Amino acid sequence: MNFEGKVAAVTGGGSGIGLALAGRLASLGCRVAVGDVHAERLADVRRRIPGVLAMPVDVSDPAQLAAFAERTEREFGAVHLICANAGIIGPLGERLWEVPDAAWRQVIDVNLLGVVSTLRAFVPRILEHPPGHVGITASMAAVTTSATMPAYYATKHALLSIADTLRLQLNRDGHDVGVSVLLPGQVTTRLGESLSDVDTVRNLSGISPGEVADRFVEAVRDRRHYVFTHRGSARLAGARTDAVTGEATPPAR
């Protein structure tokens, strides 16, 4: 994809990886729309990225995502790229059977259904003006497991399936739209700080959000689906696969 003149939208773009994605895409010539639930962060987004469209968006509300997609297209024209990046951690350290229903629902509404609603709002628009690309921010939590954060890990595992299914369906139907799923380990963001005590993340040294954005841009250009951001990620993912197939015993947590 040639990024110059293309239109990109980023959810959860007010800080961290989302902000880095928005800034990197803008630097390549994209017209960028940013949505974030934290409205107070949007002034900083406007300061950092000249010409950006920044609006409050809660991805757990499909109507707000539909309005975000409509405004992006109205102000910038045809949408070519969506980064479904918004996400939350949820309860830390609680045993899964003790996590309250409300906490489960909050994490599912944002991390899983928020991505599904983002795809519903943007993918039909992208299909009208190929080539295009869909980025979904998952985590190493999508290909590993841990004894902590059950709701977070469950939704990130689900996102990997969502990304795989989307790619298969787009390919089956002959659409010129790529799909990349970001699988970052520890990143120097607020979210990364919350994850710093999780074994599978702690074993991958922290990198900057900008480095993650660079990996994403490379993946879009190469039409690469799985986007590991840290050295050693594939080994950790492989250990899980080996455990499933009986080739090895997973380490105790």
Side-chain angles (χ1 to χ4, degrees):
M1 177 183 287
N2 175 18
F3 291 94
E4 183 69 35
K6 297 296 192 296
V7 175
V10 182
T11 63
S15 63
I17 292 174
L19 180 58
L21 288 169
R24 185 76 176 95
L25 293 169
S27 75
L28 294 171
C30 287
R31 289 167 291 175
V32 178
V34 167
D36 197 281
V37 71
H38 301 286
E40 69 278 6
R41 297 178 182 172
L42 298 178
D44 185 52
V45 173
R46 297 185 187 99
R47 179 180 62 80
R48 290 170 178 261
I49 308 174
V52 71
L53 165 62
M55 64 180 287
V57 176
D58 181 349
V59 298
S60 68
D61 183 349
Q64 291 190 36
L65 280 164
F68 180 43
E70 181 180 353
R71 184 177 173 189
T72 299
E73 191 169 72
R74 183 174 67 249
E75 297 197 16
F76 286 158
V79 180
H80 305 94
L81 193 154
I82 175 65
C83 297
N85 173 76
I88 60 175
I89 287 289
L92 290 167
E94 294 187 44
R95 293 177 290 189
L96 67 87
W97 62 90
E98 295 175 344
V99 175
D101 284 351
W104 275 103
R105 292 192 183 98
Q106 182 185 29
V107 178
I108 290 170
D109 284 348
V110 174
N111 290 3
L112 177 55
L113 296 181
V115 169
V116 172
S117 295
T118 300
L119 299 179
R120 183 182 297 116
F122 281 94
V123 169
R125 298 173 188 270
I126 293 172
L127 295 181
E128 292 177 1
H129 306 281
H133 207 90
V134 175
I136 296 174
T137 301
S139 164
M140 280 299 292
V143 291
T144 60
T145 192
S146 174
T148 189
M149 297 187 302
Y152 179 80
Y153 271 75
T155 55
K156 293 302 181 178
H157 273 65
L159 283 189
L160 189 62
S161 177
I162 292 291
D164 289 351
T165 300
L166 179 63
R167 178 181 63 160
L168 291 171
Q169 291 182 342
L170 292 173
N171 288 343
R172 179 198 63 193
D173 297 341
H175 294 295
D176 189 12
V177 177
V179 180
S180 294
V181 54
L182 272 170
L183 301 163
Q186 187 172 354
V187 183
T188 53
T189 65
R190 293 184 180 93
L191 194 63
E193 291 168 1
S194 299
L195 288 167
S196 62
D197 289 333
V198 179
D199 292 341
T200 53
V201 172
R202 190 172 56 215
N203 291 335
L204 301 172
S205 59
I207 64 174
S208 71
E211 291 176 272
V212 177
D214 288 343
R215 304 283 196 282
F216 176 72
V217 167
E218 293 168 4
V220 174
R221 286 177 171 152
D222 297 340
R223 282 291 177 96
R224 184 155 32 94
H225 184 57
Y226 300 110
V227 188
F228 291 111
T229 62
H230 292 63
R231 290 182 179 178
S233 294
R235 175 182 53 79
L236 288 172
R240 171 77 182 284
T241 302
D242 288 345
V244 171
T245 59
E247 297 293 328
T249 302
R253 295 294 184 208

